[in-house]
Structure formats: structure tokens, C-alpha cells
Amino acid sequence: MKPIRLPEPPGSPQSMGGVPDIFEGGVYGVIRRAVVIGNGFPASENQSIGLVRALGLSERQTLYRVTRPTGGINELLHWLPVSFHKKLYYIICQIYGLSRILIAGRGKKITHSPTANGGGIGLSSVLEADVKNIVRMAKETFEKDGPLLVVASGRDTISIASSIKRLASENVFVVQIQHPRYHLDRFDMVVTPQHDYYPLTPSAQEQVPRFLRKWITPRQVPDGHVILTVGALHQIDFAALRNAAKAWQDEFASLPKPLLVVNIGGPTRYCRYSTDLAKQLIASLHNVLTSCGSVRISFTRRTPGKVSKIIQKELGTNPKVYIWDGEEPNPHMGHLAWADAFIITADSVSMLSEACSTGKPVYVIGAERCTWKFVEFHKKLRERGMVRPFTGLEDISESWSYPPLNDTADAANQVHKALAQRGWKLRL
């Protein structure tokens, strides 16, 4: 019987063929799976899923979701930390259990936290985010499956992700997307847009009363484990666009060129508008229709009904214009792949980030209506030559280009480097 030979240690003459896994930490240092902690908002969850995709773990991810009770009095409790919200809601239900009308208010139905809640992103079921269960899974499977990558995004996920890091620090690598405001050391990595630090700039400080500054500004400047991006992370890359081009070829290939795609979001706290912007958009679109072969318009779930109605009324009968009716399948990926140029309302960081990742002309409408950190975001895009204001004087047939926005891939590269510093790696 031949003796069993152990692999030679790194650096020995016999190990010239490569370093065996046993000396690289073996399975204990190789990440093969990911957990995504979501909050139920597609724009937020898309960032986490996009980073996991860029890291090559899309086929080995599990999505958990932090949910809140909704309806009635819960609408007033929405801004509380999610754990405190749930506890307070439970107490209220115990006190007023026999007076549902008092809690529901004006007949609004109270909805309890669901356990199967994945419909919003096309999943049949998403697990409820439970710290104890995720920590137990990370520890019990560590020897067999190696460390666990945890990626979370959004305010409601902060306490969950930080607790997982605290309770299983030797078994997980935790990435928090979007600025958690303070205690950045609760995470292995924080990925956040540069404009989240706008409140620390002198111009922003002048806009905030001194006694409020500590509540609305980041309490720590970015350090080595904070990765700054220009926009939002997402799932759009060359492979995704190539697949979308094939999938939507029958519908888009024969359309007259150039194809102009118009994405309309909805007003936000820092980008306020109503039908006034819709009327401005309609007038400007009429001016550029002669230089367009086709125009496709899409609304989001945030688009006010009065905005979509006026656009449908004024443009819906134009033979060059097609307005998506909101029915599935969603043509968004086809638009990104086949469009020659985009017009996007200024309120959506996500839609602008995705469009700028294509390297195609992007025109923005409504940026002058934005305030606070959105001003900084639009400034960064203009400085990089990625966007131009939409005035109605453009010739859509004249193309221009720029280095595509590559935030998601850049963040993924930083994750690889951070894992290497810890002695871990991704096995793809």
C-alpha cells in the first residue's frame, strides 16, 4: 500500500504546480454562497443582487427580507427602527385588540408581516430575515461550505446585517450598501454613493441648523472599508445587455432608428414636481420627434397617475410613440439594450445609473428641481460627460459617448481585495 502524501507547503520546491487549498485555508477560506438581506423595495434590493451577480454568486444566493406591519396606524410608525416598530405594534394590538377600528383608522386594513413575500421581484417565496436563523446557518455550515457572504441594502436592513456580523464575525463577510449613518465598523465593507457625504460639505452645512446636523449628516468620514460610488449598484453589465438584445430582438430590431427611450419616475422629497414637468417633457419631445425614428415611454410605480395620464393623452396617438401599458413582460432590459439614447427624469438614481452604464447618450429632465444631495449626484454625472440636460433642441440622431459607469464591477473588485486581506477568496 502506498503511503498517503500530504501536499507540500507553499514555497517548497515540490509545490511549483500551485498552492493546494489546504494551505489557503481550504474550504474555510473560500466563499461559495451569498445571503441577500432585502427590504422589499426593488430599487434597493436590486443593488444587493447586482453586487452578488458581479461576484459570480447569482446561482448560489438566498434572499431574506425585512418586513414591517403595514396599514392603519403602521403608516405613522414607518420611520421607527423596524424591530422597535414590530414590538410597538404588538403592544398596541394587545392593548386595543378588541378595537380594530381604532388601529386601522378609516377602514384601512392592517397587514401582518408575511413569510412568503417575494412577489415584488419575481420570486415565489422569500424568507423572513431572522438573525438567529442566519447566524446558526453560517456557523453550522462553515466547515462544510465555508464562509458566508452577506449583502444588505437599505435602512431597515442595517440592524439585521450588523447583528449577523457581531454574532458570527468569524464565519461571515458583511457588505452594507447605502450609508448606515454611523458605526461603520459594524460591517466588513460599506458601499455608498459619494453624494451620501454631501451633508458634510460646507454648502450643505449652511443649509442645516446646527442643532440638527448630527442627526442628518454622516458621523464618520469614509475610511478604507468604505467604497464610494457615483450612482447606485445594479444588475446591468455587458452580458446582461447582450442577453437582453437577443431576447427582445423580434420586438426592437425592426423599429425605425434612432430609438429614443423615455423613463419617467416620480417626485421625491428632494426632486419635487407634478404635471408641470410632464408638460415640459411633452413640449420638448414634440420638438425632437423629427430627429427620432421611434420613441418608447415607460412609467414606474412611483409615477403619479396625473402625470402618466397627461403624457398618454398628448403623445399616445402619435405614430412614432409607444407607451408601455405596465403589463408584463417589462421591456426595461430591452430598452437598455436597444435604445440609441435615453431621456430620464432626474428623481431616479437607479434608472440614471443603469442608463449611464450603457455608454449611450443620456438626457436628464428636471434636474433643476432637485435639491440637497441630488444636486451633487447630477453634478458628478455631468462632470463625467455622462448626462446632458434635455432642452428640446437636441438632434437625437447625433450620438455621443463616454466611459460607461461601472460602479458595480468596481465595488466587486474591492470586495475581492478585502477578502484577500482577510485570507479569503471567492471560488467561482
Side-chain angles (χ1 to χ4, degrees):
M1 179 180 296
K2 294 184 179 180
I4 298 175
R5 294 191 58 186
L6 293 176
E8 298 294 335
S12 67
Q14 291 85 354
S15 64
M16 299 302 291
V19 180
D21 278 349
I22 191 172
F23 293 110
E24 290 190 346
V27 69
Y28 308 116
V30 181
I31 292 180
R32 293 179 169 86
R33 64 228 166 101
V35 158
V36 171
I37 311 294
N39 61 359
F41 293 93
S44 180
E45 292 182 353
N46 187 45
Q47 297 199 61
S48 298
I49 296 172
L51 180 59
V52 171
R53 172 189 169 87
L55 292 169
L57 296 176
S58 292
E59 302 300 321
R60 287 159 283 180
Q61 66 176 338
T62 304
L63 177 59
Y64 294 79
R65 182 172 287 159
V66 180
T67 58
R68 290 176 179 266
T70 60
I73 197 172
N74 290 297
E75 304 309 314
L76 302 176
L77 305 178
H78 177 74
W79 298 106
L80 292 173
V82 64
S83 58
F84 184 65
H85 178 178
K86 289 182 176 180
K87 291 177 182 177
L88 182 58
Y89 171 68
Y90 175 78
I91 293 172
I92 293 174
C93 285
Q94 295 299 309
I95 296 174
Y96 296 104
L98 299 178
S99 303
R100 307 298 290 173
I101 296 178
L102 176 63
I103 301 176
R106 297 185 181 181
K108 292 182 179 179
K109 181 181 178 182
I110 290 182
T111 305
H112 294 272
S113 300
T115 55
N117 53 0
I121 56 171
L123 299 177
S124 60
S125 179
V126 179
L127 300 174
E128 174 72 16
D130 183 279
V131 171
K132 292 182 180 179
N133 288 340
I134 297 174
V135 167
R136 184 186 307 114
M137 181 266 291
K139 290 182 175 181
E140 292 179 354
T141 62
F142 179 74
E143 291 190 7
K144 177 183 177 182
D145 298 318
L148 182 67
L149 176 68
V150 178
V151 183
S153 179
R155 182 171 66 95
D156 284 351
T157 69
I158 292 173
S159 61
I160 300 291
S162 61
S163 296
I164 294 172
K165 168 64 178 174
R166 176 172 55 84
L167 297 172
S169 59
E170 299 300 317
N171 311 101
V172 298
F173 187 91
V174 178
V175 180
Q176 182 69 36
I177 301 174
Q178 298 182 337
H179 204 290
R181 312 307 300 168
Y182 57 94
H183 295 320
L184 302 184
D185 57 352
R186 294 180 296 173
F187 313 95
D188 293 297
M189 178 176 288
V190 173
V191 181
T192 190
Q194 297 176 29
H195 59 257
D196 273 353
Y197 281 93
Y198 173 73
L200 294 180
T201 63
S203 60
Q205 292 286 300
E206 292 176 359
Q207 302 176 49
V208 182
R210 185 176 296 276
F211 72 94
L212 290 177
R213 289 177 185 174
K214 72 174 183 177
W215 300 106
I216 65 175
T217 61
R219 301 186 186 181
Q220 297 169 266
V221 297
D223 58 20
H225 81 301
V226 177
I227 308 304
L228 298 179
T229 63
V230 174
L233 305 188
H234 50 75
Q235 301 185 59
I236 308 304
D237 55 21
F238 177 78
L241 292 174
R242 180 183 57 195
N243 292 336
K246 293 179 180 178
W248 290 91
Q249 182 173 0
D250 291 344
E251 183 165 346
F252 288 99
S254 60
L255 292 179
K257 295 289 187 175
L259 169 60
L260 175 64
V261 167
V262 183
N263 290 332
I264 302 171
T268 66
R269 179 182 177 185
Y270 298 118
C271 287
R272 298 185 182 276
Y273 60 85
S274 184
T275 54
D276 52 343
L277 185 66
K279 293 176 181 177
Q280 177 186 340
L281 174 61
I282 291 167
S284 298
L285 275 176
H286 276 302
N287 290 338
V288 302
L289 277 177
T290 56
S291 64
C292 296
S294 308
V295 178
R296 291 182 65 104
I297 300 176
S298 292
F299 305 109
T300 69
R301 292 187 297 178
R302 292 192 299 105
T303 308
K306 55 186 177 182
V307 170
S308 58
K309 286 179 181 178
I310 190 173
I311 291 175
Q312 288 171 333
K313 179 181 178 181
E314 297 295 328
L315 296 170
T317 58
N318 190 295
K320 283 190 175 183
V321 178
Y322 170 86
I323 301 178
W324 179 49
D325 59 8
E327 298 295 326
E328 294 295 337
N330 189 328
H332 179 61
M333 289 300 299
H335 287 170
L336 289 171
W338 284 93
D340 295 296
F342 301 91
I343 297 173
I344 299 176
T345 53
D347 56 272
S348 179
V349 174
S350 296
M351 289 195 299
L352 284 167
S353 299
E354 290 179 345
C356 289
S357 72
T358 67
K360 302 173 185 178
V362 178
Y363 298 97
V364 179
I365 186 167
E368 69 282 357
R369 302 164 190 260
C370 296
T371 60
W372 197 236
K373 62 183 182 180
F374 273 65
V375 174
E376 190 71 10
F377 170 61
H378 288 287
K379 178 183 176 182
K380 291 291 184 184
L381 295 183
R382 290 194 302 270
E383 289 176 348
R384 292 194 173 203
M386 296 178 174
V387 302
R388 297 177 183 178
F390 181 54
T391 64
L393 302 177
E394 292 79 10
D395 182 349
I396 303 302
S397 64
E398 293 183 3
S399 183
W400 44 277
S401 62
Y402 49 86
L405 190 60
N406 214 17
D407 283 335
T408 309
D410 292 342
N413 288 335
Q414 294 301 319
V415 172
H416 279 286
K417 292 179 181 179
L419 289 174
Q421 292 176 355
R422 189 165 173 175
W424 290 358
K425 65 179 181 179
L426 286 160
R427 174 62 57 83
L428 306 181

